[in-house]
Amino acid sequence: MNTFRIGGVHPHDNKQYSAHQPITECPLPEKAIIPLVQHIGAPSQPVVEKGQKVKVGELLAKAGGFVGANIHSPYSGTITKIDSTIDAWGMKMPAIFMDVEGDEWLPEIDRTPDVIRECRLEPKEIIDKVTAAGIVGLGGACFPTQVKLMPPPGKKAEVLIVNGVECEPYLTCDHQLMLEHGEELMIGIQILMRALNLDHAIIGIEKNKPDAIARMKELALKVLGVEVKPLKLKYPQGGEKQLIDACIGRQVPSGALPIEVGAVVDNVATIYAVYEAVQKNKPLISRVMTVTGASVARPGNYSVRFGTPLTQVVDLAGGIPEDTGKIIGGGPMMGRAMNNIDMPTNKRVSGLLFLRESESRRVEPENCIRCGKCVTACPMGLEPYLLSKQAQLQMWDEMEQHDVMDCIDCGCCLFTCPSHRPLLDYIRMGKATVGGIIRARQAKK
């Protein structure tokens, strides 16, 4: 079995709660809040105004820059205001507020269940459709997809790597998407290969999803140039750089992007969104997310339109369990504890994890014993113990010199530390500070 070479850990996957649960549509809310920050880059700029009536799929906000994404209406209804809302971590963000008054779609969107197989569009036409649809990476990074399809001058894509790994414990939405929409995914892969002028694609799937591997292999037999690569179970194999190493044996240099080694990486949910945009004229207005946990009454995979209150999704899954000690946005390794769930769903939300009180308590940290386990576990080859200490001492220049910006927030260091040091907490704080210093320095040039 293939895997990446540097670091990694083996947390229990805990996928049994929601695995193989069919994708269920979440009912429409009565009121919706659509955030204008659902991607990396500048906030999208509203193109609607208070009192305006809109239909499903209608443009609400344009991308605020090259690294940005359009935002479309997931509902038909009336815009009530454009204001700010509070996210699950207490931060303000701009948003469009709506009264949902029905489900009337733009007529050009194909809502039939028919699978449209043939695509004769030119690469630029595909990229234009992806751009217009507001598609971003749904694996967690939310990087605007069209940017990946336009390599910078002097760089050329050699292979498309499809991320079907879903290495984050508990989450199963990508797995279920491969099982239920494998044919559409395969068409989406061919569309991206056409856009990038490629004749080779690799679908990476970890071996704890044998049915998904079998399904995608069956479909790949009918498509020239597409192969399925089963991967050894190891976290964080879903990281772009780790997946590239596992699939083609190339390591992306520090500070560089995958295109430096000829790779473009896209998550399966992103590729499904590409299929819907190009073949069905459907913008990105919803996603599949996992709601799970040992005590959740109805754990499962739910298709949710953006702007739906998270509380409504939780109610669909049976409500908040009585023994809940912590609610995580995402999975337990890279997700973050939420202050509240009174926020709208958006392109970033891949899952909600309800940890029981007994699972959510942190062990009191002890002194570092210099064992080096965090260094061994780090998939980016960093020194987490050192970066953590530098963050505590506010040694920002030193953190930059020791490549803190290469950290992918995977949590391997925290997971493996026998002294239970809050390594990732300090590194995240330091990374945010150093990132701000770098951006300020670049702005002065």
Side-chain angles (χ1 to χ4, degrees):
M1 288 287 181
N2 297 283
T3 190
F4 57 98
R5 287 170 278 181
I6 299 175
V9 294
H10 297 86
H12 193 284
D13 66 19
N14 284 311
K15 295 180 184 288
Q16 68 272 22
Y17 306 113
S18 58
H20 303 109
Q21 292 296 323
I23 297 171
T24 302
E25 292 281 341
C26 182
L28 303 186
E30 293 182 1
K31 295 182 181 292
I33 302 173
I34 297 96
L36 296 177
V37 182
Q38 300 191 42
H39 51 268
I40 287 176
S44 302
Q45 301 301 309
V47 296
V48 292
E49 57 187 24
K50 180 180 177 180
Q52 184 174 336
K53 290 191 175 293
V54 296
K55 296 179 180 179
V56 178
E58 194 165 330
L59 184 67
L60 296 180
K62 286 187 175 180
F66 176 67
V67 181
N70 293 339
I71 292 175
H72 302 77
S73 178
Y75 315 98
S76 58
T78 303
I79 307 298
T80 56
K81 63 178 177 177
I82 300 172
D83 203 345
S84 60
T85 186
I86 303 296
D87 68 13
W89 299 274
M91 302 296 290
K92 280 189 175 183
M93 57 180 176
I96 293 173
F97 293 69
M98 285 184 65
D99 281 342
V100 179
E101 297 164 350
D103 198 25
E104 186 179 354
W105 292 57
L106 290 176
E108 61 266 29
I109 300 174
D110 181 357
R111 299 183 63 199
T112 69
D114 303 335
V115 176
I116 312 298
R117 294 174 177 81
E118 189 173 14
C119 175
R120 293 186 177 180
L121 297 179
E122 293 299 317
K124 185 181 183 306
E125 293 175 305
I126 293 171
I127 294 170
D128 287 347
K129 276 205 163 192
V130 168
T131 304
I135 298 174
V136 300
L138 297 176
C142 287
F143 190 80
T145 301
Q146 75 272 8
V147 179
K148 289 186 178 184
L149 302 180
M150 296 184 283
K155 307 296 179 185
K156 187 182 185 308
E158 299 172 24
V159 60
L160 172 67
I161 297 179
V162 178
N163 189 346
V165 172
E166 198 167 48
C167 62
E168 182 75 35
Y170 287 94
L171 302 186
T172 58
C173 46
D174 286 352
H175 182 185
Q176 196 62 30
L177 197 61
M178 286 186 281
L179 295 180
E180 294 190 27
H181 296 287
E183 193 169 0
E184 294 97 317
L185 283 172
M186 198 60 68
I187 296 165
I189 291 167
Q190 294 172 78
I191 289 170
L192 289 180
M193 290 170 68
R194 187 178 181 88
L196 291 162
N197 193 26
L198 295 175
D199 56 11
H200 187 204
I202 300 172
I203 307 171
I205 308 174
E206 284 192 330
K207 66 177 183 178
N208 62 344
K209 306 171 188 65
D211 48 357
I213 291 172
R215 175 62 175 152
M216 298 311 289
K217 276 188 171 183
E218 175 191 358
L219 292 167
L221 290 173
K222 306 171 187 176
V223 182
L224 189 65
V226 178
E227 65 170 304
V228 178
K229 185 160 286 191
L231 302 172
K232 183 180 178 182
L233 207 62
K234 187 162 71 161
Y235 177 88
Q237 198 145 232
E240 276 192 334
K241 295 183 178 182
Q242 287 69 41
L243 185 57
I244 291 168
D245 188 20
C247 287
I248 61 173
R250 299 178 188 176
Q251 294 185 324
V252 181
S254 173
L257 295 172
I259 195 65
E260 289 290 332
V261 295
V264 171
V265 183
D266 275 309
N267 172 268
V268 292
T270 309
I271 294 174
Y272 181 64
V274 168
Y275 163 81
E276 291 201 306
V278 175
Q279 304 295 78
K280 297 280 191 173
N281 295 315
K282 181 185 174 185
L284 182 57
I285 58 171
S286 65
R287 69 163 298 154
V288 181
M289 59 179 289
T290 301
V291 182
T292 186
S295 297
V296 174
R298 292 187 293 275
N301 303 296
Y302 298 93
S303 178
V304 186
R305 295 195 204 178
F306 306 133
T308 300
L310 276 178
T311 49
Q312 185 169 324
V313 186
V314 172
D315 289 343
L316 196 61
I320 300 176
E322 290 185 4
D323 60 355
T324 298
K326 188 177 290 186
I327 304 173
I328 306 290
M333 297 297 287
M334 293 190 72
R336 300 193 183 195
M338 306 173 76
N339 294 334
N340 66 79
I341 55 172
D342 294 323
M343 66 165 283
T345 55
N346 56 66
K347 298 175 185 179
R348 296 176 181 270
V349 182
S350 59
L352 278 180
L353 168 60
F354 292 86
L355 290 179
R356 295 177 293 194
E357 180 66 37
S358 58
E359 299 169 321
S360 60
R361 296 193 204 100
R362 281 201 176 187
V363 178
E364 193 69 26
E366 300 173 5
N367 291 331
C368 174
I369 60 173
R370 304 295 190 270
C371 66
K373 284 189 174 183
C374 62
V375 178
T376 303
C378 180
M380 296 304 296
L382 304 177
E383 298 175 284
Y385 74 92
L386 177 61
L387 291 170
S388 173
K389 194 65 177 177
Q390 288 172 338
Q392 292 176 64
L393 299 174
Q394 301 184 9
M395 299 170 66
W396 313 129
D397 291 342
E398 289 80 1
M399 290 192 79
E400 183 178 355
Q401 292 166 13
H402 285 92
D403 300 322
V404 69
M405 299 310 294
D406 281 351
C407 172
I408 60 173
D409 291 10
C410 66
C412 287
C413 54
L414 179 63
F415 178 83
T416 197
C417 178
S419 295
H420 313 290
R421 306 287 297 169
L423 299 171
L424 181 59
D425 301 301
Y426 283 117
I427 294 172
R428 275 177 170 167
M429 178 192 73
K431 182 181 174 184
T433 304
V434 172
I437 292 170
I438 292 172
R439 288 190 295 274
R441 186 168 66 226
Q442 291 172 341
K444 291 178 181 179
K445 292 182 179 179

